[in-house]
Amino acid sequence: MRTRVGIVGAGPAGLLLSLLLAEHGIDSVIVETRSRAAIEETIRAGVLEHGTVETLRQYGVGDRALAEGARHDGIELRFGGQGHRIDFANLVGRSVWLYPQHDVLKDLIAARLAAGADIRFECGDVALRDVTSDRPVIAFTEADGTAVELECDVVAGCDGSAGISRHTIPDAARTDYFRTYPFGWFGVLVEAPPSAPELIYAHSERGFALVSTRTPTVQRLYFQCDPDEDAAAWSDDRIWAELQARVAGDGFSLAEGPIFQRGVIPMRSYVCEPMRYGRLFLAGDAAHTVPPTGAKGLNLAVADVLVLARALDSYYATGSTALLDSYSDVASRRVWRAQHFSWWMTSMLHTDPAGSAFDVRRQLGELESVTGSTAGSTYLAEAYTGWPVEF
């Protein structure tokens, strides 16, 4: 087979890249190891930045996000038993939307298939070859056992942190920046009404907690825990007692209900540099991961793709490789800004298991500085709702 851009992975980065390329008349093929059902049924939360929503709307896949997603004009930082609202709309004139990532994927898959896009689901034995040549190859086996070699001009590695694309770059040509945090998130889905109109990020001496919402009847709640915690060992009563203790104060309490899903999420940061090797370009989680505190994962993938799509459009329109050559440097600048913001939010709100009373008091001083200062609140609002994409 032959195509211009071969895309490995039908996640947010791969699907959106395929859509943007099609808008410029550039053909592509997506190679994906999972089934369509597995992609659409893997439930993941999603906080969409202002720019992400605008991108989805601009390219015709944002109607459901706008209609069914929940627009939030701020968040609450809760510490010392009191809540402090960060007013995004007033500070920076932007908002975020709560719209699950799996619904974003459903919208993108439906739109691409309706437009006749070539998406190969359930592929096996996926491998990349000759990525430093002018004819890189994606080799794979179709679901029916047919062996395929897909020759491309360019390969976009959008297959996530566990995919093959990142590891196709030799160790000697790749620098891995990695941080593992000494805690995880214990997450639960509960049948209950919302406890608050906006997300609550809570600091307490017992550790961090996040109060989020999924639908008017289903809520998503997290609390900081040991990364090796056994979620099955916690009773519903024990979970609720821990959550209530971490957000208590000022008369506030959580609306409780049956817990129907639970699990522990590890916390880590990762960046691969460069994000380009020969004709292979990494985007999304294949190139970087962030702790979920800053809500940057999906949004970084969208920003990567906007930069990469523009570079590919320039290449096919003019023959110039200038924007492709600068892709890694341009995308990495935003990645590191997001890494800093995610680390900052995490370090400000989570209790370090090896920390001291000094560390807790320092965190409280930092939180008071952020919430008590227009400049501090504005930085948080600007970063949380998303910086403009720089090309």
Side-chain angles (χ1 to χ4, degrees):
M1 293 176 56
R2 178 85 175 90
T3 191
R4 285 182 168 182
V5 181
I7 301 172
V8 185
L15 290 164
L16 182 60
L17 179 60
S18 172
L19 173 61
L20 268 58
L21 293 176
E23 289 289 318
H24 295 288
I26 302 169
D27 59 283
S28 66
V29 175
I30 300 178
V31 177
E32 171 57 58
T33 59
R34 298 165 295 171
S35 68
R36 178 180 180 180
I39 294 170
E40 296 182 344
E41 293 170 6
T42 301
I43 297 176
R44 295 186 67 181
V47 175
L48 307 185
E49 294 176 355
H50 179 88
T52 296
V53 174
E54 284 299 298
T55 297
L56 297 177
R57 182 195 59 76
Q58 179 182 351
Y59 290 98
V61 286
D63 289 350
R64 203 158 70 95
L66 291 170
E68 300 178 19
R71 172 179 166 173
H72 285 196
D73 292 331
I75 59 171
E76 179 180 301
L77 296 182
R78 189 167 186 80
F79 59 94
Q82 293 186 320
H84 306 262
R85 185 169 185 262
I86 306 296
D87 188 336
F88 298 159
N90 183 57
L91 290 165
V92 295
R94 299 195 295 271
S95 305
V96 296
W97 274 257
L98 266 65
Y99 187 66
Q101 179 170 311
H102 59 277
D103 282 327
V104 174
L105 293 173
K106 287 179 183 178
D107 298 341
L108 285 167
I109 290 173
R112 296 308 298 130
L113 292 178
D118 191 343
I119 307 177
R120 308 295 176 101
F121 294 106
E122 300 181 74
C123 296
D125 306 318
V126 182
L128 303 181
R129 296 203 315 267
D130 306 326
V131 296
T132 57
S133 74
D134 60 1
R135 288 291 183 270
V137 171
I138 305 174
F140 61 96
T141 304
E142 300 240 46
D144 64 3
T146 303
V148 177
E149 291 199 351
L150 175 63
E151 187 180 85
C152 322
D153 297 331
V154 169
V155 173
C158 306
D159 50 348
S161 57
I164 64 163
S165 296
R166 168 197 304 173
H167 301 288
T168 300
I169 304 176
D171 291 348
R174 187 183 82 233
T175 301
D176 296 316
Y177 299 92
F178 193 80
R179 171 188 287 269
T180 300
Y181 293 87
F183 39 73
W185 276 11
F186 194 124
V188 296
L189 281 171
V190 304
E191 295 178 10
S195 297
E198 296 173 335
L199 273 68
I200 297 175
Y201 287 75
H203 171 279
S204 79
E205 293 189 6
R206 301 177 67 91
F208 169 74
L210 172 61
V211 180
S212 182
T213 188
R214 181 62 56 79
T215 71
T217 59
V218 175
Q219 312 310 314
R220 186 64 158 158
L221 308 173
Y222 301 92
F223 62 88
Q224 176 186 344
C225 67
D226 187 285
D228 298 319
E229 192 69 63
D230 180 8
W234 284 64
S235 68
D236 286 14
D237 288 345
R238 183 184 176 195
I239 292 171
W240 281 117
E242 190 63 39
L243 282 166
Q244 296 285 16
R246 297 194 187 192
V247 301
D250 201 24
F252 179 78
S253 64
L254 298 169
E256 297 187 12
I259 296 172
F260 64 90
Q261 186 185 98
R262 68 191 71 199
V264 175
I265 302 169
M267 299 281 282
R268 52 180 177 256
S269 299
Y270 171 80
V271 178
C272 173
E273 286 189 341
M275 293 171 60
R276 181 251 180 107
Y277 179 69
R279 292 290 185 98
L280 169 63
F281 296 82
L282 304 182
D285 283 0
H288 42 72
T289 55
V290 290
T293 325
K296 288 288 167 245
L298 169 61
N299 299 292
L300 272 181
V302 171
D304 288 348
V305 166
L306 288 171
V307 176
L308 182 56
R310 181 174 179 183
L312 287 167
D313 180 41
S314 172
Y315 171 66
Y316 284 111
T318 70
S320 170
T321 64
L323 294 186
L324 286 175
D325 294 339
S326 65
Y327 165 71
S328 182
D329 290 339
V330 172
S332 290
R333 285 201 295 269
R334 187 187 187 91
V335 168
W336 282 110
R337 290 181 74 183
Q339 288 288 359
H340 168 261
F341 177 68
S342 300
W343 167 85
W344 176 65
M345 288 281 285
T346 301
S347 65
M348 181 170 61
L349 291 162
H350 290 70
T351 302
D352 187 340
S356 63
F358 174 89
D359 296 309
V360 174
R361 295 291 295 177
R362 179 200 59 77
Q363 287 176 316
L364 292 173
E366 187 172 12
L367 285 162
E368 289 175 357
S369 297
V370 170
T371 57
S373 160
T374 300
S377 297
T378 300
Y379 168 71
L380 193 156
E382 179 185 64
Y384 197 98
T385 59
W387 308 281
V389 175
E390 297 178 358
F391 293 102

